[in-house]
Structure formats: C-alpha cells, structure tokens
Amino acid sequence: MSNDTIVSVEPAPSALLDSASRARPYRMKRYPFLALVLLAPLILFGLFGPQLNLHNPAAIDPANALLPPAFAGGDWQYALGTDHMGRDILSRVIDGARSSLIVALFGVALAGMIGTLVGMMAGFFGGRTDEVLMRLVDIQLAIPPILLAVLLAAVIGGGLTTVVATLTITFWSTYARIVRGETLSLMQRDFIALARVAGASRSRIMFRHVLPNLLSSVVVLATLQLGAAVGLEAALSFLGLGIQPPESAWGLMIADGRLYMSQAWWIPTLPGLAIVMTVMGANMLGDWTRDWLDPGLRRL
Amino acid sequence: MTQNPLLQVHGLGKSYSMRRRGRRADIRAVQDFTITVHQGESVGIAGESGSGKSTLTRMILLLEKPDTGVIRFAGREINDLKGRELLAYRREVQAVFQDSASALSPRMRVRELVAEPLLVQQPRVSRSEVDNRVASLLRRVGLSAKLCSHYPHELSGGQKQRVAVARSLIVNPKMLVLDEPVSALDVSVRSQVLNLLLDLKEERGLAYLMIAHDLAILRHVTSYLVVMRKGRIVEQGHTDKVLLHAQHPYTQSLVTALPSLWT
Amino acid sequence: MSAGTIPLLDVRGLRVYVHTKDGTVRAVDGASFKIERGEALGLVGESGSGKSMTCQAIMQIEPRPAAVIEEGEVLLDGEDLLKKSARDMQRVRGNRIGMILQDPLSSLNPVMTIGDQLIEALRLSDKTSKRSQLRQQAIVALERVGIAKADQRVHAYPFEFSGGMRQRVAAAIAIARYPDLLIADEPTSALDVTTQHRFLELLKDLKRERGMSLLLVTHDLGVVAGTCDRVAVMYGGRVVEIGKLEQILRQPRHPYTRALLKAVPQFHGRRLERLFQISGEPPNNREDLPGCHFAPRCSEVDQRCDAEYPPTVHYDDASCTACWRLVPEDET
C-alpha cells in the first residue's frame, strides 16, 4: 500500500460554526403558552374562587340591577357589571368556573377510567367479550346526550350529579373505541409475546405491559375532551338540567341573561366569552399534549 | 455435546383459514415438521419470509396451539400444558426475538425488563437477590449495571439486544429460541452479539434453536441445520454438509443467491 | 475515465444537520464523492453513517424543517442542484434522477393501480400524449423490469404483488422517464435473499441498457460486491474511503473498511470458533468530536487520531481515504 502514488492530500473540512447554520431560528412551542393563558381564569377561579370574590355571587340586590361593566361606563366595584337581579357578574363568573372545573374534571376522569377499562378488555380478550362490549358502545352512542340528561334529571333532579353522570355516560365510549384499537395493535408487538414467554399472567400483561403504553393516548384524549365537557356542561345548565340556582354556572347565566341581550348585553355575553375561552384553551392544550407526547413529529 | 434429546417435535402442523376474495382458503403455515434439539446443541432453521418459521417459533414457545403433531420437552408431552406445568416449561425455555425495539416494553425500565421472568415465576425471591441477579447478568452481557434505571429508547440497538439476552437467562433456562437475533443490528455490532451467544452457550451448556435467513450466520453458530420452505422441511443435516453440499434445489438456490465477497 | 469529461454527479462537502429539541445531529458532515456516467457507485455505511440523508439531500427531499442542508454542492452535469429553485428541482426529479426506497410496501400507493401510478409518473414529463399512449409506455416499462403479462398486470393493485415484484414496480416508476441517475436506498433490505439476487441483476441490466448511473446505498457489502464498479464507505457522517470494487474488497485502506470486511460472517472459507468483532457502537453524531469518528473503535489508533480529523489522501481520481495512518510523513 505504501507503493500507491498519492496525488494530493486534502485537509479535513473545518467545523461548521453555529452562527453559520442555515437553520431558521424558529423554536418549537415548548410550552403551550396561549392555551394556558386561556385556561388560566378557569384554573385560578376554579381553585381559589371563594377567596377572590368581592361580592357574594348569590346576593340579590335589585337596587343595583343591570349595571354595565367597568369598561363600558360602569363602576369598578362591579367590574363586569350586574345582572337583572343585581348580582355581580364577575363573582358569578368566578363561581361558575368552579362548577365547570369540578364537573369537567370529574366527568372526564370517570369517563376515562371506565372507557379505558372497557376498551382494554375488549381488545385484550377479543371474541365474545369484544363483541358484547362494543355493542354497549354502540348503544350508548345512539343516545343523545341532552335526552339522557333530561331522563336523569327526571329521576334524580338536576344539579352537579346529573351533569357528571351525563358527561361520564356520554364520553366513555370514545375512550373505549380508541383504547380498544391501541390495545389491538399493542398485542401484536413482540414484547407481549415475550411477556407470555416469561410466564406473565394475563392481568400482569394487561396492567404492566398494555396499560402503560396506552396512557399517552388516553391523556391526549382527556385533554381534548375537557373542552367538550365544559361545553356540554354549559348546555345542560342553560337548559336548566345542570347546576341549579342559586349556584352559578356559565350556561345558567346565559339562560338567565338571554332576555336582556338588547338592554344589558353583558349579562349573557361575558359568561359566553368565558366558555369560548375555556373550550379553546382546552383544545389547544390537547393539541400541544399530543404533539409533545408524540416523538415521531420532527420539530426544530 | 450429550445425546440427551431436549426438545422433540414430531409432525407439527398448523393451518389458518383466511378469506381471499370471497373464498375461504386454508393456509398451511407449518406442515409435518419434525426436529430434535439435544442438550447443549445449536440447531438452526433457515427460512425466508413466508416459510412458516414464526408460526413454528410460536408453537414451540407454546404461544399457539398446533393443529397436529406432538411437542415433547425432556420426555414429557407439552402440547396442552397449563398453569404450574406451563410455568415450569417457561423456566426451561426462553426466547430472544429479532427486533429489540419492539421486544422490550417501552415503559419498563431495564431492571424490570431483565427481572420479569424471575419475578413472575418465583415471586418469593427477595428483592436483593433479584437485584444481584440482574446486576450480574447485565455485567455478563457486557452492559454496565448503571443501565438498570434506563428505558429501552435510551439504549442503542446493540444494548437493547443484550438486555433481551440477559432477560432470557435470568431463570437459567436449558434452551433458548432465537428468532433472527442479530438481523436488526448494525453490521459492525452483529458479531459482538453472536460471540456473546456462543460464549454463553459454552458456559451454560445451553441448547439453541436459532431461526435466521442469513446462511453465513447459521454456518458459524449452528451445528445442525434445517431448511424450511412454505411450512415444510426441505433438507436437514449437519450444517456444513447442508450448506456446502446442498441436495435440495431450494437449498442450492439459497446458497447460490448469497452475495459473495470473493468472486 | 477520459480526462475532460465532468462526472455526472459531483457531491462536494455536503453537510446536512438535523436540528432537534435535544440538540443538533450532524447527519452528514462534509461528504464528497463523484459518479461518472454509466457507473455504479455503492454507498456503504451503517446507522449514523449519513448515507440515506445524503441521498435525500441530493434529491432535496430531506425532512424539513428539522433537516437543513447547511453547506456543500451537488453538481449534476456541472449544475449545482442546491441552487435550483423548487420548480426546477421538481423537473430534475424523475427526469434526470430517479429513486427507489427500501420499503416496497410504502413506496406504492395502495389505492391506485400500478398502471395508474406509472402513468402519473410519465405524465409529469409528457403533458401531451394521450392516456392510452401512456398506458402503452407503462406496459413497456413493466416488461423492462421483468413483470410477466404486463398488459394484464397493469390493472392490478400493489397488494396483489409480492415484495420483490413491488420493488420491481417501484423501479419501473423510478426509471419510467429514463433518468441519467438512479438512486436506490437499501432496495433489497426488505427482500428475501433469492429475490434480492434477482433484483440486483435487474438493476445491472437497466444500467447497461441505457448507460444509466447507479447510486446503490446499502449496509451490506455483499450487495455491493455483485453490482458496483466503485464503492464509497461512510462512517459518522463522512466518507472514509472510496475506491474501485476490487481494491475495496481485497486491499481496503481504511481501518473501518478492513474491520467491516472481517466482521461480516462469511459463508465461504473456514468455519470460525469465534467471529471477528469490532468493539463499541456506531456513533450518534450528536457530539462534535475533534478527531476521527472511528477512533474510539479503531484498533490502529494513535494520538493524532483523537486530536484532529485526518485529511483525505487522494490516490487518483477514483479513490481516496481519510486516515492518519496513510498520510505521508511530509504532509503531517
């Protein structure tokens, strides 16, 4: 080899400096800023509501009825104005946030647990179990949520329980379907076969191998459903099936304030805005969570 | 190599019925498969895709029931094992699969991955004993014990496969079923893992049943070879004899198709 | 090689970096090689070598925005492809450079007949011919890649074909417009060994037929042995050796090439008690090591190797290597 004629010797390329990189300086959204900003009211008010309230949200004060919000000519004492009964709207929005938060979290959590369990069993056991469970899903999907709420309210009256029950029964099927699909595809993977080869029992495989790998899908679904839950809760309260007076709920406020749209627009509009912000924020959080948990998407 | 037969498979067969364009067809994945693996022996199965080797592997590992035939291990028939007897079989026979990325539970740490067969089969073993065994096995396969708390995705391909090998050994089995153990690894890493497998076999007197499509690997790692095609055995015998003096046309075509670096 | 003809493809100092949230991966870090007209170059490397990213950069189909072509030139008949507009580059793809990928299953659209997929490929450079004429050309293309009863098969869907046949269809689409260069990225890795052999023969035929150049990317030196005229070996994002096939196989210069040849279990020859092994693992290209990328695993390493990346020694127009051991004394 030392006899080979060498034509030239070329020095190694020098290192490329970071400053010379042609990569665009765009950075991935590391944190869901906008989503959190939109959700901040819900979370803050939901957690610290009673402490923040200046007025009693249920206090009726006809003398101060229909006062406009501070930015539309009113007083800072009633920052978002008052409704037709003199109740401070800001306080009621804060109080309503509480209800919405509790209801949404409970409803989504319960729906998630039930749905995940059902979906996992359907996918894992297959056969008869799968058929029976999926028929249950089909049955549930055939029931309109509002009708369900009406029926429940007729039986147990309106209120928090009715809303949580409606949410749970309405939302579990989505989890079941998605989890079943994921379970089916996970069962094909080698590590499940090797767990059986190791001697693992079926319950161990279900809870130690399948479930942990489902969690990221379940979490994404849950964050996306939060928005839908808040929306459904608002609809139910609007119809009088949900949170009952004197408790506050955003949907209830819209229902009450409908009649005053032309003379005191703030009464239905401001709670409506709260609902829109929350639902949007929840959806954005859901999107961000999905991107964050999915290592497949390449980002700068 | 002793003459004690460890695994005896006789007339094994399995079919699947599939619907193809409206007609029901029976696909015979494995047909009339007979093989014996002796204690300490390394037997290879050469087969391409569609040869039925994965179905065969699953049947031998008792993950699927054969339609016909008998499997005997250490003299006892094992086709219908359940419960404690099945667990006893699982103690004697473990497996290493091809793609370590999908063969290791993504959400389990290395420690638990290696320990799982032991935890499942002997739940009363003390935690410190388990830790000791895991640590010593990791060292034996060439990995640092510090990797215990890592997740599979934090490891390289070679490291993952070593974890899979460590896991397969923790219950001290007598036989390993290896399904394409190095095909998914980088070429420069394959011989490391193969040498490890060869060393372990010597040390522990293990029997290997190795399925691979790469004849060169089978040549160096196995002493007896079975060539499989479309679910059937077409040729078998001592590895060198089968490969260097192939009788069956299919075997011959496999050998001639081999790219050679010395043309 | 006659003096005065420029190579068909001349890649110079190509750098492709992938920017992830965990840092920058230097997938290709200064790769240079040439392919003459009618020549088959094998690009050999393992994971982290940068061979696939190099091909993608040539075609400018690298996964943006994360992957960025930071530096370098890709000259096709003297013209720098990296300076072309997106539309011009679109005309290059398919017309002048064709590509086959590893997985025949995902290369083809499952819901279109293969005839339609071929027609779509042909249509891109031929906007005037009638559909029936293009279908004829599609049938001819299928025949060229050895698919029997092409006139009937042209109406079939991909799922009706086996892996090897699908790969042939993918090849038919890639060469439908008679490109000057065909890039095949691990085209046989997903195929059985007998099918692999036949497919490589097909590539050789196609090359001979039209004097088409071939860039065959693979991790398998055996694949290269039967098909290529020259071989470029990549490691850690750089080209460590280039040479004629004979020279690479019989007298490899770079320690990595030598180790690779020894480490691959060989079918012929003596049965070994123990296989030759290379310690360590291929690099992940995240750290900017000052020295040679193979140094941590090299059995011939000395102190220069860790300190500075070796220069490239050119022997003639067709071969070179980057190793301190081969740099003549007066140049260091």
Side-chain angles (χ1 to χ4, degrees):
Chain A
M1 263 197 277
S2 48
N3 295 336
D4 293 333
T5 37
I6 294 175
V7 166
S8 63
V9 175
E10 186 190 335
S14 50
L16 184 71
L17 300 168
D18 278 336
S19 52
S21 168
R22 287 186 191 160
R24 293 195 318 250
Y26 166 69
R27 286 254 160 275
M28 162 182 135
K29 287 203 292 285
R30 279 179 186 262
Y31 301 104
F33 288 121
L34 193 53
L36 288 175
V37 160
L38 290 172
L39 285 177
L42 175 75
I43 302 171
L44 278 174
F45 296 164
L47 292 174
F48 303 115
Q51 285 98 309
L52 292 171
N53 263 334
L54 300 167
H55 303 265
N56 182 347
I60 296 180
D61 186 8
N64 281 318
L66 302 176
L67 292 176
F71 52 83
D75 204 283
W76 275 104
Q77 207 201 359
Y78 298 100
L80 292 182
T82 58
D83 67 359
H84 56 291
M85 296 221 247
R87 296 176 292 197
D88 174 33
I89 296 209
L90 178 59
S91 311
R92 300 204 80 214
V93 167
I94 290 176
D95 207 34
R98 204 132 205 271
S99 325
S100 298
L101 187 66
I102 294 174
V103 157
L105 284 179
F106 267 94
V108 166
L110 279 175
M113 287 193 292
I114 297 174
T116 303
L117 202 59
V118 168
M120 220 169 48
M121 293 206 305
F124 191 82
F125 293 108
R128 238 3 228 253
T129 319
D130 187 14
E131 282 187 38
V132 165
L133 290 173
M134 286 301 111
R135 288 299 82 73
L136 278 180
V137 169
D138 290 339
I139 292 173
Q140 183 272 300
L141 285 171
I143 306 175
I146 308 290
L147 183 60
L148 176 64
V150 168
L151 287 172
L152 279 173
V155 172
I156 58 174
L160 214 65
T161 327
T162 311
V163 181
V164 172
T166 310
L167 282 176
T168 308
I169 299 177
T170 306
F171 286 157
W172 73 267
S173 55
T174 322
Y175 287 94
R177 278 214 175 146
I178 290 185
V179 165
R180 172 183 177 271
E182 293 258 340
T183 305
L184 285 175
S185 84
L186 279 171
M187 298 289 286
Q188 299 301 315
R189 303 260 299 266
D190 279 345
F191 67 86
I192 301 285
L194 282 173
R196 288 177 66 193
V197 168
S201 63
R202 282 196 298 205
S203 65
R204 185 184 165 96
I205 294 180
M206 258 214 305
F207 291 102
R208 299 298 251 125
H209 289 275
V210 176
L211 185 59
N213 289 296
L214 291 171
L215 282 180
S216 60
S217 310
V218 171
V219 164
V220 172
L221 190 55
T223 40
L224 287 171
Q225 287 201 322
L226 272 178
V230 168
L232 185 57
E233 182 272 319
L236 293 180
S237 306
F238 179 86
L239 293 172
L241 301 165
I243 315 282
Q244 302 293 316
E247 303 274 333
S248 333
W250 294 339
L252 201 54
M253 292 167 73
I254 299 182
D256 287 343
R258 244 186 325 149
L259 299 167
Y260 300 91
M261 193 62 193
S262 45
Q263 49 185 134
W265 56 266
W266 53 91
I267 303 181
T269 311
L270 293 175
L273 201 59
I275 295 173
V276 167
M277 271 173 63
T278 307
V279 172
M280 243 177 73
N283 283 341
M284 289 169 81
L285 183 66
D287 280 342
W288 179 88
T289 312
R290 188 193 47 218
D291 287 350
W292 184 57
L293 287 172
D294 179 3
L297 293 175
R298 288 195 158 175
R299 293 275 152 120
L300 259 178
Chain B
M1 187 192 85
T2 63
Q3 282 304 307
N4 292 346
L6 202 55
L7 179 77
Q8 288 162 294
V9 174
H10 195 86
L12 208 62
K14 187 160 181 84
S15 321
Y16 295 105
S17 56
M18 282 185 29
R19 228 171 307 238
R20 277 196 109 182
R21 304 196 217 198
R23 283 173 299 135
R24 276 197 54 199
D26 273 339
I27 312 250
R28 296 228 185 89
V30 176
Q31 232 183 320
D32 203 18
F33 196 92
T34 299
I35 199 181
T36 302
V37 181
H38 298 92
Q39 215 164 325
E41 185 183 17
S42 177
V43 173
I45 299 184
E48 304 187 303
S49 60
S51 57
K53 52 189 181 158
S54 11
T55 311
L56 179 70
T57 323
R58 292 180 72 91
M59 285 196 285
I60 291 178
L61 290 169
L62 296 186
L63 293 172
E64 277 182 38
K65 274 179 86 60
D67 292 335
T68 57
V70 179
I71 310 176
R72 280 202 176 79
F73 190 80
R76 283 181 32 244
E77 209 176 294
I78 59 169
N79 286 41
D80 298 304
L81 283 189
K82 286 202 229 298
R84 220 165 343 143
E85 289 178 329
L86 179 57
L87 217 54
Y89 178 68
R90 298 244 178 266
R91 193 185 165 191
E92 314 275 17
V93 177
Q94 281 294 315
V96 175
F97 283 6
Q98 170 176 352
D99 184 2
S100 48
S102 74
L104 299 175
S105 278
R107 302 254 177 212
M108 264 190 186
R109 291 180 206 263
V110 166
R111 183 195 170 274
E112 197 175 353
L113 285 166
V114 176
E116 184 167 32
L118 186 61
L119 295 172
V120 162
Q121 293 179 20
Q122 296 172 44
R124 279 189 227 127
V125 176
S126 72
R127 198 197 153 94
S128 55
E129 170 70 19
V130 171
D131 284 340
N132 282 344
R133 285 220 228 178
V134 169
S136 78
L137 271 170
L138 284 178
R139 268 195 304 269
R140 179 61 196 87
V141 300
L143 292 174
S144 146
K146 276 186 283 182
L147 290 176
C148 266
S149 51
H150 285 232
Y151 286 100
H153 67 262
E154 296 170 321
L155 306 177
S156 69
Q159 288 173 321
K160 282 195 281 240
Q161 203 64 322
R162 287 169 196 270
V163 168
V165 171
R167 175 196 169 97
S168 73
L169 293 175
I170 198 162
V171 288
N172 291 320
K174 295 215 177 62
M175 183 171 109
L176 287 187
V177 176
L178 303 137
D179 190 347
E180 303 274 9
V182 296
S183 315
L185 297 178
D186 275 318
V187 172
S188 65
V189 169
R190 283 181 196 178
S191 40
Q192 291 173 25
V193 176
L194 288 173
N195 282 337
L196 173 66
L197 289 171
L198 285 171
D199 291 340
L200 288 167
K201 177 173 169 298
E202 280 305 305
E203 279 168 34
R204 293 163 177 248
L206 292 167
Y208 284 168
L209 183 62
M210 183 174 309
I211 295 97
H213 66 272
D214 187 335
L215 296 179
I217 291 178
L218 288 169
R219 171 131 197 261
H220 290 290
V221 178
T222 65
S223 53
Y224 194 87
L225 186 63
V226 166
V227 180
M228 231 179 133
R229 181 183 190 230
K230 294 211 170 101
R232 284 180 176 280
I233 298 179
V234 299
E235 190 162 355
Q236 57 181 298
H238 288 288
T239 304
D240 272 358
K241 184 156 154 301
V242 170
L243 292 180
L244 301 176
H245 305 289
Q247 303 286 321
H248 193 277
Y250 177 66
T251 318
Q252 289 166 348
S253 72
L254 284 182
V255 172
T256 43
L258 272 181
S260 170
L261 295 188
W262 288 282
T263 31
Chain C
M1 234 163 325
S2 43
T5 50
I6 54 167
L8 173 67
L9 184 73
D10 189 352
V11 176
R12 294 182 187 172
L14 184 65
R15 277 197 227 249
V16 183
Y17 287 7
V18 181
H19 301 272
T20 68
K21 62 177 163 74
D22 297 317
T24 303
V25 176
R26 295 177 176 73
V28 184
D29 202 11
S32 304
F33 57 88
K34 302 188 185 107
I35 307 182
E36 304 290 335
R37 279 194 173 275
E39 182 182 41
L41 178 73
L43 192 55
V44 172
E46 309 175 86
S47 52
S49 59
K51 58 192 198 301
S52 286
M53 196 60 92
T54 302
C55 295
Q56 291 179 44
I58 293 174
M59 291 287 259
Q60 287 184 50
I61 54 171
E62 74 279 2
R64 300 170 188 176
V68 178
I69 302 178
E70 300 281 2
E71 224 183 51
E73 295 169 301
V74 175
L75 305 176
L76 186 67
D77 265 338
E79 260 189 287
D80 191 356
L81 296 180
L82 298 179
K83 293 204 168 60
K84 279 192 182 285
S85 68
R87 181 182 288 177
D88 286 340
M89 192 58 213
Q90 206 179 311
R91 280 196 220 115
V92 169
R93 289 189 207 107
N95 271 324
R96 309 221 38 219
I97 311 181
M99 192 157 172
I100 309 176
L101 299 169
Q102 174 171 342
D103 183 5
L105 198 54
S106 55
S107 306
L108 299 174
N109 188 334
V111 297
M112 280 170 76
T113 64
I114 57 164
D116 285 340
Q117 295 189 50
L118 270 162
I119 291 175
E120 191 182 317
L122 291 166
R123 181 54 87 205
L124 288 168
S125 60
D126 181 352
K127 308 238 191 285
T128 52
S129 299
K130 288 215 290 257
R131 201 176 167 80
S132 50
Q133 290 171 300
L134 291 180
R135 179 166 294 122
Q136 255 328 101
Q137 290 178 39
I139 295 175
V140 168
L142 288 177
E143 282 167 353
R144 272 172 77 200
V145 296
I147 294 187
K149 300 204 207 136
D151 50 334
Q152 293 171 20
R153 302 291 253 159
V154 79
H155 298 291
Y157 285 92
F159 72 83
E160 299 175 62
F161 290 86
S162 68
M165 301 282 267
R166 274 190 222 124
Q167 203 64 316
R168 284 170 184 263
V169 172
I173 295 175
I175 54 153
R177 283 135 76 197
Y178 298 101
D180 298 312
L181 169 67
L182 176 64
I183 303 181
D185 189 353
E186 302 264 18
T188 55
S189 306
L191 302 176
D192 289 333
V193 84
T194 36
T195 323
Q196 189 171 322
H197 180 67
R198 284 202 296 260
F199 189 79
L200 291 173
E201 291 295 315
L202 171 66
L203 288 182
K204 286 204 294 209
D205 289 340
L206 292 173
K207 168 180 164 270
R208 233 189 334 255
E209 220 184 86
R210 289 261 165 184
M212 184 178 70
S213 301
L214 180 63
L215 176 59
L216 181 57
V217 176
T218 179
H219 64 271
D220 187 347
L221 279 161
V223 161
V224 152
T227 345
C228 298
D229 306 308
R230 280 194 311 135
V231 179
V233 180
M234 281 186 82
Y235 188 85
R238 296 200 174 156
V239 175
V240 297
E241 181 167 6
I242 304 180
K244 289 210 170 69
L245 181 68
E246 281 287 305
Q247 177 253 308
I248 295 278
L249 294 181
R250 302 229 189 284
Q251 290 183 311
R253 294 190 176 106
H254 197 276
Y256 172 62
T257 319
R258 282 207 294 272
L260 201 60
L261 283 164
K262 289 210 286 210
V264 174
Q266 279 315 303
F267 180 77
H268 304 287
R270 259 183 341 112
R271 185 201 159 118
L272 300 168
E273 281 303 307
R274 222 162 182 277
L275 300 160
F276 177 82
Q277 70 182 49
I278 311 175
S279 64
E281 310 240 1
N284 61 14
N285 300 348
R286 279 180 197 273
E287 296 149 31
D288 192 10
L289 298 168
C292 172
H293 296 169
F294 188 60
R297 307 171 76 188
C298 186
S299 54
E300 302 170 48
V301 69
D302 68 32
Q303 67 265 51
R304 283 177 300 179
C305 303
D306 284 316
E308 207 187 320
Y309 197 86
T312 306
V313 178
H314 293 270
Y315 298 94
D316 53 42
D317 217 16
S319 61
C320 61
T321 187
C323 177
W324 281 113
R325 295 247 156 218
L326 298 162
V327 175
E329 292 304 316
D330 47 346
E331 296 274 355
T332 44

